[in-house]
Amino acid sequence: MILHILNYSTWKQTLLDGEYAPSSLDSEGFIHCSTTDQVLGVANSIYKGKSDLFLMLIDEDKVESNVVYEDLYDLGKLFPHIYGPLNIDAVIKIVEFPADEEGNFKLPAEVLG
């Protein structure tokens, strides 16, 4: 399973469009994703204090576009990137991803097991 952070209005639009193709697909050529071990670092550095966020849980085996693990920013970690639109049937579910009182994120129980 790989994860992607998005807001609920974007998810609703994805359901209408039939696939997920965020602006990063045009600007960078891929959709940023994380593993379960990486997502908190991403969330707490980029999205700290933001609300209305959800985690998209993705079955990597069902993704029709290429999934490539790479370290594009010299972080010493390989992150999963989806090179093309994401087909909706690869999404296992989306779960709420609220920040706590200090603006930090914790993994929801649905992600842990």
Side-chain angles (χ1 to χ4, degrees):
M1 176 175 64
I2 56 177
L3 309 169
H4 178 77
I5 302 168
L6 74 167
N7 63 39
Y8 192 69
S9 62
T10 301
W11 173 247
K12 286 180 16 183
Q13 186 61 49
T14 297
L15 292 174
L16 294 173
D17 294 343
E19 66 181 12
Y20 182 60
S23 60
S24 70
L25 204 48
D26 288 330
S27 63
E28 299 180 63
F30 59 86
I31 301 169
H32 291 268
C33 294
S34 302
T35 64
T36 305
D37 292 337
Q38 297 166 333
V39 74
L40 287 181
V42 171
N44 288 319
S45 66
I46 297 174
Y47 298 101
K48 185 172 180 151
K50 301 232 178 182
S51 60
D52 191 36
L53 294 180
F54 285 75
L55 282 176
M56 182 186 292
L57 284 58
I58 303 165
D59 181 342
E60 184 178 349
D61 293 332
K62 292 184 179 179
V63 176
E64 294 172 2
S65 297
N66 288 331
V67 178
V68 179
Y69 284 75
E70 52 198 347
D71 183 3
L72 298 178
Y73 306 107
D74 296 322
L75 299 173
K77 297 178 184 175
L78 299 176
F79 284 84
H81 298 137
I82 301 173
Y83 279 86
L86 175 62
N87 48 301
I88 296 291
D89 62 335
V91 178
I92 300 165
K93 63 177 156 179
I94 65 164
V95 296
E96 287 187 72
F97 195 38
D100 64 17
E101 306 81 40
E102 288 84 40
N104 296 307
F105 294 91
K106 295 182 179 131
L107 282 178
E110 296 94 336
V111 176
L112 295 172

